[in-house]
Amino acid sequence: MTIVSTRPSLIDRWREHLPFEPDDPVVSLSEGATPLVFAPVISELVGTEVYFKTEGANPTGSFKDRGMTCAVSAAVRDGAKAVICASTGNTAASAAAYAARAGITCAVIVPEGKIAMGKLAQTLIHGARVVSLQGSFDEGLELVRTLVAEHPISLVNSLNEYRIEGQKTAAFELLEDLSGDLDLLCIPVGNAGNITSYWRGFREMGASPRLFGFQAAGAAPLVLGHPVEHPDTVASAIRIGKPVRGEDALTAAAESGGTIRTVSDSEILDAYKLMAAKEGMFAEPASASSVAGLLKYGADGARRVVCVLTGRGLKDPEVALSVTRDAVIPCPVEIGAMEEAVLGPPREPATAASQ
Ligand code: F0G
């Protein structure tokens, strides 16, 4: 059989910078090479040049695929028959997809009732064993770490070095797309693996844009300087109180001359709605925290800024519907009614500040 591939896998594309030999097995869904999209409206508001790194364009709809192709490829190479993770949803969906692709078993631990519908649907349809923990993400991760110490299952959370290695390739792409000319990166921070990855990627290429990380105000252990027992935010992806890469993230932000700060849920939702309504960009709430932070704190003199949009908006239809439901206009099958429905005064627009 001749296999035609339209795009190289992330591992093939960046192999010389990744811990893989030419003959190592590659489990890929053609991840990476995501579009960098100019953001005219946000640029105007902030008074500088702003781009979105659209990580939702990855195969399972989030940046996790960059790390997962590496983590699952390494697991297969090392003979693992199963992978496991604790997750707020995106890692679970990505692990499930790559495990399906590899023909190995996947188990995910998710906090009960706290994961977005799209992510749960993905994880289930890929055939993962979904364990709904009556506790938090942080408790789930602690238990999973104990479990893998006793069983031959490969842990694919961002504690896994291959995850960080894979995710650093987003920084390579940015430098390539912008010819190295980037002053500031705005990025959501949850378990803190991704900001760690970007910094590693930038450093390996000799670049050092400032990193502004943003945590949701109700789940901001790195800003508060201590763990948060009951993290709470509308951005379920980053509802995390004890980030395992917290130290690395603080180091990355400090070394880059940046910071980690908070954005409130209403600031996140305002940015979320603004991006969708004015930029045509539908990212999930956690992703909008990067834009919310830029709008709140400004670019601090940076000339060229990238906001990382970590996950696709469709991941979390419930939040989208909760802020827009009133905008649906009912219409009987009748031309006069349709005329009024189509041409009448607008119903509550998606950009309205009220929720
Ligand atoms: N944005 C999205 C959409 C995420 O899913 C996550 C993390 C983050 C941002 C934060 O990235 O943890 O590397 O700082 N999601 C993890 C998960 C925790 O289980 O899917 P981070």
Side-chain angles (χ1 to χ4, degrees):
M1 176 167 52
T2 310
I3 300 173
V4 177
S5 179
T6 51
R7 206 163 75 168
S9 70
L10 179 143
I11 291 175
D12 284 330
R13 171 72 185 84
W14 298 108
R15 192 184 293 269
E16 64 192 285
H17 302 284
L18 294 172
F20 292 97
E21 299 301 321
D23 291 337
D24 286 347
V26 171
V27 182
S28 171
L29 293 165
S30 274
E31 53 293 307
T34 54
L36 184 67
V37 179
F38 179 59
V41 175
I42 310 288
S43 295
E44 184 73 28
L45 286 172
V46 180
T48 193
E49 199 178 309
V50 182
Y51 296 83
F52 299 130
K53 179 65 168 162
T54 56
E55 288 293 276
N58 275 296
T60 75
S62 85
F63 70 94
K64 305 289 181 177
D65 297 344
R66 294 179 183 277
M68 207 55 73
T69 184
C70 294
V72 172
S73 295
V76 168
R77 179 195 62 200
D78 300 341
K81 296 281 179 276
V83 294
I84 191 168
C85 63
S87 178
T88 56
N90 279 326
T91 302
S94 186
Y98 281 83
R101 185 80 181 181
I104 61 176
T105 301
C106 175
V108 307
I109 315 297
V110 296
E112 188 178 77
K114 303 278 193 209
I115 111 163
M117 198 55 77
K119 304 173 188 181
L120 183 59
Q122 287 181 285
T123 309
L124 287 168
I125 199 74
H126 286 305
R129 200 175 173 103
V130 178
V131 178
S132 183
L133 184 74
Q134 289 148 13
S136 66
F137 165 85
D138 302 294
E139 290 168 316
L141 187 49
E142 236 171 87
L143 289 176
V144 168
R145 290 173 79 168
T146 308
L147 194 78
V148 296
E150 313 271 318
H151 299 274
I153 311 175
S154 181
L155 180 70
V156 295
N157 277 104
S158 59
L159 280 162
N160 182 321
E161 270 299 306
Y162 288 97
R163 284 277 314 278
I164 306 296
E165 285 291 303
Q167 288 171 206
K168 78 184 179 186
T169 59
F172 298 167
E173 289 173 15
L174 286 181
L175 295 172
E176 202 172 71
D177 288 351
L178 298 170
S179 306
D181 186 2
L182 171 64
D183 305 313
L184 173 62
L185 185 88
C186 295
I187 182 169
V189 176
N191 215 18
N194 211 25
I195 190 171
T196 303
S197 308
Y198 272 86
W199 187 237
R200 186 181 293 183
F202 286 132
R203 294 313 299 143
E204 287 185 11
M205 292 292 166
S208 53
R210 296 172 74 192
L211 303 184
F212 285 2
F214 298 105
Q215 299 207 287
L222 299 180
V223 181
L224 296 170
H226 59 75
V228 174
E229 281 309 319
H230 301 289
D232 186 32
T233 166
V234 66
S236 59
I238 52 173
R239 200 179 278 147
I240 292 172
K242 296 177 193 163
V244 294
R245 291 277 181 178
E247 285 304 316
D248 294 336
L250 290 168
T251 304
E255 281 182 5
S256 78
T259 52
I260 299 180
R261 289 173 287 190
T262 63
V263 282
S264 69
D265 276 6
S266 65
E267 288 160 347
I268 291 173
L269 290 176
D270 282 347
Y272 173 72
K273 290 183 284 189
L274 178 75
M275 290 154 58
K278 302 293 186 194
E279 300 276 20
M281 193 58 73
F282 184 26
E284 68 171 284
S287 307
S289 67
S290 62
V291 177
L294 177 63
L295 290 171
K296 179 176 184 177
Y297 297 103
D300 198 21
R303 203 179 39 77
R304 190 178 261 178
V305 184
V306 168
C307 292
V308 183
L309 302 187
T310 45
R312 192 166 271 270
L314 285 172
K315 292 275 191 176
D316 198 340
E318 285 165 316
V319 170
L321 290 172
S322 76
V323 298
T324 56
R325 206 181 304 272
D326 289 349
V328 175
I329 302 166
C331 182
V333 188
E334 199 264 303
I335 188 63
M338 180 171 287
E339 208 166 11
E340 194 183 322
V342 172
L343 304 174
R347 304 288 290 263
E348 184 183 322
T351 48
S354 63
Q355 294 121 41

